[in-house]
Amino acid sequence: MSASSAPLFTTRLAVYFLAFAGAIVSIGAVFNAQHETGISKANTQAGVSKLTPGVTVYIGTSDVWNAGVAEGIANLLLGATSGLAILALLFSSRFPQFLRTGMMPLLLVLWTLSTVFVLVTSTITTVFVATRQAKVEAFLPNGTRMPDTLVQTFSKQLGMSPEYSTFGYLKFMTIAPWFAFVFALLSTILTVVAWRKSAATSAESDVAERKAAAAEKGEGDAGSAEAINDEKH
């Protein structure tokens, strides 16, 4: 069977590609957010140093950082799954029989895992960015922690907000994976439908082959009986 004759070939290829693209964009959004966060921290430290030389600023973003890393890993799994699905769809006819038989169940498991993983990590990251803020602390050269009110004053003077929702790169990190999730979910559904259609087609082919074999056997038996009768006569 050629690749183009596979069930839902064009639809699956398009959706698989969109899932792959969504995963790549999401991974890029995570890397960009981590990079921009580092730059923002450095700029804040530089601004505080100009206002009050010797003061050290600590900006804790471990919660959204860890959530972003998990989101990146989830989309990495999705990207690998969609890439494998595209290759399997295009070149399955060249695979050995045992690979063709086991590829669809394997892909279904991978699609399910990656879809759930992306959903969970995207939800956590979205909640963190929408409701949390960075933990900002400032310390004098002797190690004494400065009061929070003074830290807030510095933040206002620098035009900086600790709330994650005020940073566009963090917002983008929460938005992009949801598009990847939608296409991952569609890919999972299409894989199930294609698997069922493929199984039904295989069953029909088996039945047709058995009928053809039975018909050939019946014709062979009839021919043998005629030959025997001819010999008798």
Side-chain angles (χ1 to χ4, degrees):
M1 181 179 67
S2 63
S4 59
S5 63
L8 304 173
F9 174 80
T10 304
T11 304
R12 281 198 290 157
L13 184 61
V15 176
Y16 290 172
F17 177 78
L18 290 173
F20 179 79
I24 297 301
V25 171
S26 298
I27 294 171
V30 171
F31 275 108
N32 180 66
Q34 309 291 25
H35 176 69
E36 291 295 333
T37 297
I39 293 176
S40 178
K41 289 181 179 181
N43 291 338
T44 301
Q45 178 62 62
V48 171
S49 297
K50 288 182 180 180
L51 292 175
T52 53
V55 173
T56 302
V57 178
Y58 168 77
I59 303 176
T61 59
S62 59
D63 52 355
V64 76
W65 175 279
N66 293 333
V69 170
E71 185 178 275
I73 294 173
N75 281 280
L76 184 62
L77 175 61
L78 175 59
T81 300
S82 53
L84 178 61
I86 291 172
L87 291 176
L89 188 59
L90 292 175
F91 304 108
S92 60
S93 59
R94 301 181 183 180
F95 292 173
Q97 181 60 39
F98 74 95
L99 279 181
R100 290 201 299 269
T101 303
M103 184 58 68
M104 196 74 80
L106 173 62
L107 285 174
L108 183 57
V109 171
L110 291 176
W111 277 122
T112 303
L113 288 176
S114 57
T115 301
V116 172
F117 198 5
V118 170
L119 172 62
V120 172
T121 55
S122 297
T123 301
I124 293 173
T125 304
T126 300
V127 171
F128 281 7
V129 172
T131 61
R132 294 191 178 190
Q133 63 182 30
K135 181 181 180 182
V136 182
E137 296 177 321
F139 299 89
L140 296 173
N142 61 3
T144 303
R145 184 174 180 274
M146 297 178 65
D148 291 338
T149 53
L150 191 56
V151 173
Q152 292 174 3
T153 300
F154 286 151
S155 297
K156 290 181 180 179
Q157 290 178 348
L158 293 172
M160 301 293 291
S161 172
E163 296 179 357
Y164 295 141
S165 59
T166 60
F167 297 93
Y169 51 84
L170 291 179
K171 286 183 179 180
F172 182 63
M173 187 180 69
T174 65
I175 295 172
W178 286 109
F179 289 96
F181 165 73
V182 170
F183 293 119
L185 180 60
L186 289 175
S187 297
T188 304
I189 295 172
L190 287 172
T191 301
V192 172
V193 174
W195 188 15
R196 289 181 177 178
K197 286 189 175 183
S198 179
T201 302
S202 297
E204 291 176 359
S205 298
D206 290 341
V207 171
E209 289 177 0
R210 290 176 184 175
K211 288 182 177 179
E216 290 178 1
K217 184 178 179 181
E219 291 176 359
D221 292 341
S224 297
E226 290 179 0
I228 292 172
N229 290 333
D230 291 339
E231 290 178 359
K232 289 181 178 180
H233 291 296

